[in-house]
Amino acid sequence: MLSNRKFALKMCFFSLVRRRSRLLIALIGASIGASVLLGLVTLCYDIPKQLSREFRSYGANMVFVSKQVAQRLTRGEAEKILALLPPSRLVGLTPLRYETVRSNMLPYTAVGLDFEEIKKTSPFWHLTGSYPNKGGQLLIGVDVSEATSLAPGQSMTLTGRNSKNERYEKDFTVSGVVSTGGVEDGFIFISLADMELATKEAGAIDILEASLTADGGPLEEIKNKVENSLDTVEVKMVTRVTRSEKTVIAKLTFLVYIVSAVVLSLSTICVSTTMMTVVLERRGEIGLKKALGAESKSVAGEFLLEGLLLGLIGGFFGALGGLGFAALVSKSVFGRSFTPEFHLVPATMLVMAIVAVIASMIPVKRAVNAEPALALRGE
Amino acid sequence: MFWKMIKGSFFIRRRAHLLTALTVALGVSLAAALLGVMFDIGDKVNKELKSYGANLNAVPKGASVIGALYELGDIGQSEMAIKNNYILEDELYKIKMIFWAYNIVDFAPYLTVKVKAEGFPTSLIGSWFNKSLDLPTGEKVVTGMDNLKSWWVLEGERVDERDIRGILVGRELANKLNLKLGSTIKVTPEVIIEGEGNQSSEPEVLTVRGIFESGGDEDDTIFASLILAQKIASKPGLVERVEISALTTPDNELARRAAQNPGSLSRLEWDTWYCTAYISSIAYQIEEILPSVRVKPILKVAQSEGAILEKTELLIILLTVLTLGCASLAISNLVTANIMERSVEIGLLKALGATNISVSVLFLAETLLAALAGGVLGYVVGLALSQLVGLTVFGSYIAVKPLVIPLALLMVIFVTLLGSLPALKALTSLKPAEVLHGR
């Protein structure tokens, strides 16, 4: 038994070494099949997440306001909300505070916010100039800029009255002009810190807007979690963004699945035809072995073992290639790095080995059943 | 002799040729399906993204600068001022007559009036729900906000355009006023404007047809027909803003430069820009046809659309290339197997004095014929397959692009030739004596 197994391995080894070029083709076939398999499986797993990130360019999909009428959120509540949001899904969280101010006697709406966060939650802002990087700078909407003919670098004085009816006044420098095509075009944006400094009122926020990579169920879960833990906070979903995102992402993901299934089936067929060629080429050898007295079973076993080895080796190299392919797609299409899932490598090797064995089975069966004499004569 | 041999080979080796044809058919069908999907994916995804609402906002030239900011009263305005602050409803059909008219999916005008509903101050927004327009070209177009606000959750029914007294009420306002479907409310203008031609001091009695939830500020307002809003505001034939939803091409460098200043382009660049459905060129064309209007892209929608479109297209192109690669590898293996099986025949031909070239040509011709037959079959199957994808994923048919046919043909020839190369190499190095001897 032992010597038999040793013999079989020896035969396999020599057959693999002696027929290098064929072997190479089969290996390449199996590797490509495995690359495609692992690459696509990884992508299918990754694409909904990546697309969800892409859709965050539509802006915030969840907003938090105070439940009481005409009440503002406090900074403490904002911090509690931040602690409740899952960090892995949070793209950005912007506090917004609205005040009516005057400049040159004309009324404007001033928004106090965090410029670092607004870049994340509203990536669609088109800016001429730059974001403020220190206190005393502000952004103006394009309509305000046109009406006042203010440009980046010029100064603007804002005046107003706080809730205690005390008058305040503060000088700012315009650092950039925002255009969005929406209501933002008519607003003035200053940092929340500046607004608190000017009005001498700190800690109040009108709206907290969050951009989360989640749709449907998970988003609903987050909403419930926040509402259950904080009873003074009202959570609203931006239906326009969430509903559309759900349908569009579902369709796109489905499309990628279908296409991947198509490519996968084709790559499996490709591996099969390669294995068939390899076996077909060696009908003479099979005939010789049978003529020398080998049993059909052991001959077939040898070939299937060879297929298994090819599948495993090809699967291994292919799996590495597949991870590379997925990384490449992730980088070139979505411009983001991705974390390879190495535990998928053995699974890919196994699938490839099974495909190779099944693919060899048909021609091996045919060759084994043929008359040795006919095969040896070369017909 | 050549054709006779090919005919003979097809007759004798039906199975092998059938297998080649089938593999090619499979490869081509999948590739043709993917190519078909690839060419149409832009339009399809674009239509899906329309669910985010309008991507262009048209406002009167005067209003875009001052109107919204200073909330100027309308009292005592000259005709000129009215023209500057409003858009004429009668001119709106022209939007459907620009160069890229086909790409304008929907548009709807709006007129907001401050009103008192049952004594409660709120805004009434007049609009088209599903207005049918007759264009001078004889075409009929149905447009309005029904399609523009597809994310609204509506309880009840949509309002028919002819139903002047039917309204949609936002969820928050409905809760405040305790309104149900079918209830009626009395609406009066907030400020009664003194002056001639003003008969609207009588309250309007309106019926609630539907209650909507938009998740935005609209939840606190009333949507009514445009005619009613114009009557309450005493602004017959005027609208203050138009939302337009257009299918666009993602912006590139040229479009960005053009958006800054169309004048900076060279003649050729300008033509390219004008004849491409960039959001900026569509906005420009609407401004051309309606000179008193300023059209602004809603960047939130427009930019995201561009980014998502680009990414999806790139993804599908990558997958298509992958399919083509796999298909050519599969075909290559089959051709090699075919030649190996027939090594004795080749040896005999060579022993009888055939040159390498003539044997290669013979084999190539055979394989190509089988491949072409498979390719035709594959194209037809691929067409069906792409429609299947279109129907299951997007619920609509994929446009059949004639460009796919030459591409598929080229692909068949290229893939077969490339796939036959290793086999041809084996064929030329084959020694007649050895194979005839049976080794």
Side-chain angles (χ1 to χ4, degrees):
Chain A
M1 196 59 212
L2 187 81
S3 71
N4 247 350
R5 196 179 293 162
K6 234 169 138 184
F7 181 68
L9 281 176
K10 211 170 173 180
M11 292 283 285
C12 253
F13 176 72
F14 278 115
S15 118
L16 289 179
V17 172
R18 236 178 281 129
R19 317 180 72 94
R20 278 184 300 260
S21 68
R22 274 285 99 194
L23 174 79
L24 206 63
I25 291 183
L27 257 184
I28 291 176
S31 308
I32 291 182
S35 299
V36 172
L37 175 73
L38 185 61
L40 287 183
V41 167
T42 319
L43 274 188
C44 279
Y45 177 71
D46 212 34
I47 274 174
K49 274 196 285 184
Q50 300 277 26
L51 274 179
S52 183
R53 280 232 154 217
E54 269 336 298
F55 274 82
R56 299 297 2 103
S57 58
Y58 275 108
N61 51 1
M62 193 181 264
V63 295
F64 305 93
V65 290
S66 178
K67 222 168 212 166
Q68 284 97 340
V69 183
Q71 268 284 329
R72 287 172 156 173
L73 289 174
T74 63
R75 178 147 292 174
E77 279 170 327
E79 269 157 22
K80 275 185 208 152
I81 291 171
L82 178 62
L84 283 170
L85 298 176
S88 61
R89 289 184 180 276
L90 187 67
V91 177
L93 183 73
T94 315
L96 297 169
R97 177 175 164 191
Y98 296 91
E99 293 289 344
T100 307
V101 296
R102 282 176 184 269
S103 176
N104 276 338
M105 304 308 287
L106 292 171
Y108 297 100
T109 302
V111 186
L113 46 74
D114 182 337
F115 287 109
E116 281 310 311
E117 290 294 318
I118 199 80
K119 281 185 214 165
K120 296 181 204 152
T121 51
S122 303
F124 53 88
W125 278 20
H126 181 85
L127 199 72
T128 327
S130 61
Y131 280 100
N133 47 19
K134 56 179 197 283
Q137 291 184 325
L138 55 68
L139 295 182
I140 53 177
V142 67
D143 287 348
V144 180
S145 163
E146 270 171 35
T148 58
S149 35
L150 279 172
Q154 290 175 302
S155 60
M156 186 176 196
T157 306
L158 301 182
T159 61
R161 285 179 185 280
N162 66 13
S163 56
K164 296 184 204 96
N165 212 16
E166 296 164 345
R167 190 172 180 280
Y168 59 85
E169 183 171 330
K170 190 166 163 55
D171 292 327
F172 288 93
T173 317
V174 177
S175 78
V177 178
V178 178
S179 74
T180 68
V183 284
E184 291 91 345
D185 284 0
F187 289 167
I188 293 173
F189 301 91
I190 62 179
S191 76
L192 197 57
D194 275 345
M195 184 174 269
E196 289 176 348
L197 215 63
T199 57
K200 299 182 191 75
E201 284 171 330
I205 297 159
D206 282 306
I207 296 179
L208 198 60
E209 57 171 47
S211 179
L212 294 153
T213 52
D215 59 352
L219 206 60
E220 196 75 39
E221 248 169 58
I222 297 171
K223 178 182 171 182
N224 290 340
K225 196 168 130 195
V226 175
E227 274 183 339
N228 291 340
S229 334
L230 301 166
D231 48 7
T232 51
V233 177
E234 189 178 347
V235 187
K236 286 184 177 184
M237 290 214 245
V238 185
T239 337
R240 169 178 180 159
V241 174
T242 52
R243 270 174 68 97
S244 307
E245 179 175 331
K246 207 168 140 194
T247 50
V248 177
I249 286 203
K251 283 192 176 168
L252 285 183
T253 316
F254 189 39
L255 178 73
V256 174
Y257 281 172
I258 285 191
V259 173
S260 302
V262 163
V263 179
L264 270 187
S265 60
L266 197 60
S267 77
T268 317
I269 290 171
C270 169
V271 174
S272 311
T273 55
T274 315
M275 287 315 291
M276 281 183 196
T277 329
V278 170
V279 178
L280 220 56
E281 209 191 3
R282 300 166 59 183
R283 276 181 315 173
E285 200 185 319
I286 296 178
L288 184 64
K289 276 182 187 156
K290 276 185 76 180
L292 285 175
E295 274 177 53
S296 295
K297 229 178 177 177
S298 72
V299 174
E302 254 166 53
F303 273 85
L304 294 186
L305 186 66
E306 219 180 290
L308 188 78
L309 278 180
L310 272 178
L312 284 180
I313 300 172
F316 176 71
F317 287 113
L320 296 187
L323 287 179
F325 169 75
L328 189 78
V329 169
S330 191
K331 190 98 190 101
S332 61
V333 178
F334 297 106
R336 271 185 279 274
S337 62
F338 102 126
T339 38
E341 315 261 345
F342 283 111
H343 62 268
L344 286 174
V345 173
T348 316
M349 285 168 70
L350 192 70
V351 172
M352 251 25 249
I354 292 173
V355 168
V357 168
I358 291 177
S360 335
M361 238 181 230
I362 306 159
V364 165
K365 212 171 169 187
R366 257 173 61 193
V368 164
N369 288 339
E371 276 295 309
L374 281 179
L376 281 176
R377 245 180 64 202
E379 272 170 32
Chain B
M1 180 64 189
F2 179 73
W3 293 111
K4 210 170 171 183
M5 283 182 77
I6 286 186
K7 222 170 101 185
S9 140
F10 266 97
F11 187 69
I12 297 165
R13 314 196 69 92
R14 278 178 304 241
R15 252 186 81 125
H17 286 302
L18 197 68
L19 204 62
T20 312
L22 276 183
T23 315
V24 174
L26 190 78
V28 169
S29 66
L30 296 183
L34 275 186
L35 281 175
V37 171
M38 188 180 99
F39 283 124
D40 209 32
I41 186 86
D43 275 1
K44 284 277 178 291
V45 175
N46 218 326
K47 284 212 176 95
E48 290 300 322
L49 292 176
K50 288 291 132 239
S51 62
Y52 277 96
N55 48 5
L56 286 165
N57 197 7
V59 287
K61 252 195 185 124
S64 67
V65 185
I66 8 172
L69 290 179
Y70 308 127
E71 293 183 7
L72 294 176
D74 304 319
I75 304 151
Q77 281 193 346
S78 65
E79 206 155 301
M80 191 58 207
I82 286 181
K83 218 173 167 185
N84 272 340
N85 287 314
Y86 294 96
I87 306 171
L88 296 177
E89 189 189 350
D90 292 344
E91 284 185 347
L92 292 182
Y93 71 89
K94 288 188 187 164
I95 293 176
K96 258 297 196 186
M97 294 180 68
I98 61 165
F99 182 79
W100 280 107
Y102 179 73
N103 280 34
I104 306 279
V105 184
D106 273 297
F107 61 99
Y110 297 95
L111 179 69
T112 309
V113 203
K114 294 228 180 296
V115 292
K116 278 193 173 136
E118 302 284 332
F120 192 86
T122 178
S123 298
L124 183 139
I125 302 165
S127 181
W128 292 345
F129 290 104
N130 47 3
K131 170 106 170 171
S132 65
L133 290 173
D134 292 310
L135 301 185
T137 52
E139 266 180 285
K140 217 180 169 85
V141 178
V142 177
T143 185
M145 49 163 253
D146 276 1
N147 298 328
L148 281 176
K149 309 277 183 193
S150 58
W151 70 90
W152 280 14
V153 189
L154 188 72
E155 181 198 329
E157 57 189 36
R158 298 202 169 272
V159 178
D160 192 82
E161 190 59 34
R162 281 155 302 184
D163 178 12
I164 292 172
R165 284 173 196 286
I167 52 168
L168 296 180
V169 181
R171 168 70 61 197
E172 280 178 29
L173 186 69
N175 287 348
K176 274 183 213 160
L177 297 178
N178 204 11
L179 293 176
K180 297 268 173 314
L181 292 183
S183 27
T184 53
I185 52 169
K186 286 199 188 77
V187 170
T188 48
E190 192 171 46
V191 199
I192 309 261
I193 304 158
E194 311 263 337
E196 84 246 57
N198 181 23
Q199 312 96 7
S200 57
S201 44
E202 285 278 301
E204 300 282 346
V205 181
L206 308 173
T207 315
V208 179
R209 298 267 180 240
I211 296 173
F212 65 85
E213 213 169 318
S214 76
D217 294 340
E218 295 109 329
D219 280 356
D220 221 355
T221 59
I222 300 172
F223 274 80
S225 69
L226 187 60
I227 302 172
L228 182 87
Q230 287 168 344
K231 190 177 160 203
I232 296 179
S234 332
K235 284 166 189 156
L238 299 177
V239 302
E240 59 184 7
R241 171 171 93 78
V242 184
E243 274 184 3
I244 302 159
S245 176
L247 297 178
T248 58
T249 312
D251 272 6
N252 60 7
E253 191 49 42
L254 175 70
R256 270 185 281 274
R257 266 199 302 146
Q260 300 260 318
N261 179 16
S264 70
L265 303 179
S266 72
R267 182 77 214 164
L268 190 71
E269 283 174 329
W270 197 86
D271 282 346
T272 320
W273 171 72
Y274 194 87
C275 298
T276 313
Y278 295 125
I279 190 127
S280 51
S281 61
I282 291 181
Y284 182 83
Q285 287 163 17
I286 297 174
E287 283 181 359
E288 262 184 342
I289 210 155
L290 297 170
S292 62
V293 162
R294 204 179 112 168
V295 183
K296 295 201 281 186
I298 302 176
L299 288 188
K300 185 181 199 158
V301 179
Q303 280 203 339
S304 311
E305 255 174 29
I308 289 167
L309 268 183
E310 254 172 19
K311 308 246 139 120
T312 330
E313 277 177 2
L314 199 59
L315 202 66
I316 297 293
I317 289 175
L318 267 175
L319 289 176
T320 312
V321 170
L322 208 61
T323 318
L324 290 183
C326 285
S328 60
L329 209 69
I331 292 172
S332 156
N333 281 321
L334 266 183
V335 177
T336 317
N338 186 15
I339 285 184
M340 255 163 229
E341 259 188 287
R342 298 167 65 183
S343 51
V344 178
E345 190 190 330
I346 298 166
L348 189 61
L349 277 174
K350 278 183 153 185
L352 285 175
T355 57
N356 274 336
I357 293 178
S358 60
V359 180
S360 306
V361 169
L362 183 73
F363 266 79
L364 272 185
E366 265 185 51
T367 320
L368 264 184
L369 271 181
L372 280 182
V376 171
L377 181 74
Y379 175 72
V380 176
V381 176
L383 220 58
L385 213 63
S386 66
Q387 298 310 333
L388 199 71
V389 171
L391 279 181
T392 45
V393 179
F394 299 108
S396 59
Y397 290 101
I398 300 257
V400 178
K401 296 262 158 70
L403 185 63
V404 174
I405 298 177
L407 271 182
L409 189 74
L410 269 180
M411 198 191 83
V412 171
I413 295 174
F414 180 71
V415 159
T416 318
L417 286 184
L418 198 75
S420 309
L421 272 185
L424 286 183
K425 213 180 138 230
L427 184 149
T428 44
S429 61
L430 199 115
K431 296 211 168 57
E434 278 185 11
V435 278
L436 284 178
H437 190 65
R439 264 191 228 161

